[in-house]
Structures are given as C-alpha cells and as structure tokens.
Amino acid sequence: MVKQAEVISLPQSAEHHDHHHHQLVFGLEGATEFDIAGHTRPVSTGMGCLLPCETDHAFWGVGDNSIVVVNLAPVHADHQLQPRIDALFNQSRFIHCSSDLQVLIAALSREMQKNPDDALLQSACSNAIVCALQRHLEQQLAGYHRVRLPGKINMDVINNYIDLHIDRKIRVTELAGLVFLSSSQFFDRFRQQTGMTPQHYILNKRLKGAQEALETSDEPLILIASRFGFSNQSALTRAFTQYLNISPARYRKTNQFGSD
C-alpha cells in the first residue's frame, strides 16, 4: 500500500517510473534532481515538482539528501479537497516555494518523520501541504499578473530566487519558469530590461555578496567562494579582481569593518 506521505532519501543511481497516483515532491535537505519530459532540474530546499498520475519521470540524489513525498489518488474521498487536487495536477511542473511555505513544509515533514505510523497525522499533514501549495500558486500567479507591466519581468521574484540559491549554479530555465516564460523569451526580455544577460546579472549578485562578506566578516576566502557559488577560491579571486580591479585579500585589508 502506498503511503500518503513520507520523508525519504533518493539513491545516487538514476531510477525512473510512473504510477497511478498524483505525487508532490519537495526538497528538504541536500541535492536531488528530477527529469520530467526531458527537462531536468534540481529539487533542493525551496524547490519541488508536481507529477500527475502516469507521468514518467527519472530521479536521483546527490550525496546525503531528503525529500518529502505526498501521494494523492486522482479521485479523492474528500470532495472539498478534490478541486484543489485537480487545480494542482492539471500538468507536470517544477515549482519554487516561498519562504513561508518552506517553513510550513519543513515543520510538517518533521512531524511525519517523528510519527511514521500515525496514518491520521500523515493524512492531515499531506492535506495541509496540498491546501497551502494550491493557495501559494494561485497567489503567486495573481501577484505576478498584478504587479508586472506588459513585457516586464517581475524582478522581485527573480532576485528572491537568486538570493535563495546563490551558492549553486542557477540555470536560465529555472528563472524563466518562475515568470512563466520560455528560456528564449526570458533571455531576450531580461537583457532588454536589465542591460545584461541573466548569467552576468547572477555573477554581479555573487560578487556583491562576496564584497559585503569581505567588508563585514573574517570568513575565510574559500568559504566565501563556496557560499556565493564560485567553484573554488581561485575562481572568486579572478572574478573579483576583474570586477573591482583589486584582489579579495587586498580589498578586505583596506575595507573590512569600515577601515580607512
């Protein structure tokens, strides 16, 4: 019998299947990746995916990881919940969770982990996740259409996502999905709106974050490099020197804690 909800870890070897129930997946810890219809994206903290029944998908973990999985019958016994399920699973998709939704999912997941055999609790937690996610996606879509001008990208959504995932590689496809555009549409509009490519924009945010860390902390350069998504200390040094025409070490020496 398929559990309605559970917290699991994924193996590092890729597997794929489909099933006769809908499935919600949210990243909790570590890194996992899902491939849906040829589109591969990470499902780590703050990310998730919606898999309607009979959707073939591949998945694998990267090192230590955990995800929460919610399984739902296409026809649910709760008639009040059914419209929300139908609205969520009208198509397969990757999703980005707000900070509030992340906190809720993490809290409910902890309760499920502590009480794996409490079927009533598992059901209550999974139903709460379904309702919260459906409202979150409705509000996200309504807010996007309300605040954006024709042809304009909602940069608040983009900046929040970049800040949340600044420590890893961020794909243009991820950013495009946040504002309901194809990658090519997003690239063109982003460049017109900001005057730079998405990757150049992300690099600038990484460097500004590293610059602030150098001014306000004694954190080693190798850790700053990792925290802001540089592959190693040398990559940070090269990019930072090109950015400000000064090495990170020298910049820290002359600017840390408001030095003269």
Side-chain angles (χ1 to χ4, degrees):
M1 182 177 178
V2 177
K3 286 189 175 182
Q4 185 164 351
E6 58 183 335
V7 177
I8 62 173
S9 297
L10 293 183
Q12 295 190 37
S13 57
E15 299 182 12
H16 78 91
H17 61 213
D18 59 20
H19 28 67
H20 299 302
H21 53 267
H22 298 321
Q23 191 171 78
L24 279 172
V25 179
F26 298 99
L28 293 177
E29 296 179 347
T32 67
E33 295 208 3
F34 278 70
D35 184 296
I36 306 172
H39 299 285
T40 302
R41 292 192 187 177
V43 176
S44 52
T45 305
M47 297 294 294
C49 60
L50 289 144
L51 300 164
C53 61
E54 315 298 340
T55 300
D56 186 70
H57 54 283
F59 50 90
W60 58 93
V62 181
D64 294 334
N65 66 85
S66 65
I67 58 173
V68 58
V69 176
V70 177
N71 299 308
L72 297 159
V75 179
H76 202 275
D78 188 334
H79 298 302
Q80 289 184 309
L81 194 64
Q82 187 68 53
R84 300 188 183 223
I85 293 174
D86 292 341
L88 280 178
F89 292 98
N90 59 356
Q91 62 178 338
S92 59
R93 50 185 159 163
F94 293 95
I95 53 177
H96 170 236
C97 304
S98 67
S99 56
D100 288 344
L101 186 58
Q102 290 177 50
V103 170
L104 175 64
I105 291 171
L108 294 175
S109 298
R110 285 194 294 271
E111 288 301 312
M112 290 189 284
Q113 280 183 292
K114 292 177 185 176
N115 305 278
D117 299 320
D118 188 334
L120 182 60
L121 176 67
Q122 303 290 321
S123 177
C125 289
S126 64
N127 290 349
I129 290 173
V130 168
C131 292
L133 176 62
Q134 194 267 331
R135 287 182 60 84
H136 163 74
L137 293 179
E138 274 190 353
Q139 292 168 358
Q140 186 182 65
L141 182 59
Y144 171 73
H145 287 302
R146 184 173 61 251
V147 302
R148 77 180 183 100
L149 298 173
K152 291 287 186 179
I153 291 171
N154 185 344
M155 291 304 296
D156 287 340
V157 172
I158 299 300
N159 286 324
N160 288 340
Y161 186 86
I162 293 173
D163 290 342
L164 186 63
H165 300 281
I166 196 75
D167 63 329
R168 66 164 177 81
K169 182 178 180 179
I170 299 173
R171 299 177 176 88
V172 173
T173 53
E174 297 173 52
L175 301 181
L178 296 175
V179 291
F180 314 103
L181 294 172
S182 69
S183 296
S184 58
Q185 288 175 321
F186 177 82
F187 188 93
D188 290 341
R189 292 191 191 182
F190 191 95
R191 188 167 54 179
Q192 291 174 1
Q193 187 169 330
T194 66
M196 62 183 77
T197 67
Q199 295 302 341
H200 188 192
Y201 186 87
I202 294 169
L203 177 59
N204 276 4
K205 287 183 72 68
R206 296 189 197 282
L207 289 168
K208 287 177 181 177
Q211 182 179 358
E212 183 178 351
L214 291 169
E215 293 173 358
T216 60
S217 77
D218 290 317
E219 190 174 8
L221 289 180
I222 190 171
L223 294 183
I224 292 176
S226 176
R227 183 151 68 93
F228 290 100
F230 293 95
S231 57
N232 51 49
Q233 183 175 328
S234 296
L236 168 62
T237 299
R238 285 194 301 272
F240 193 92
T241 303
Q242 186 175 10
Y243 176 61
L244 287 179
N245 200 30
I246 186 173
S247 71
R250 184 173 293 277
Y251 182 87
R252 165 174 273 170
K253 185 176 181 179
T254 57
N255 292 277
Q256 190 177 45
F257 307 120
S259 299
D260 294 331

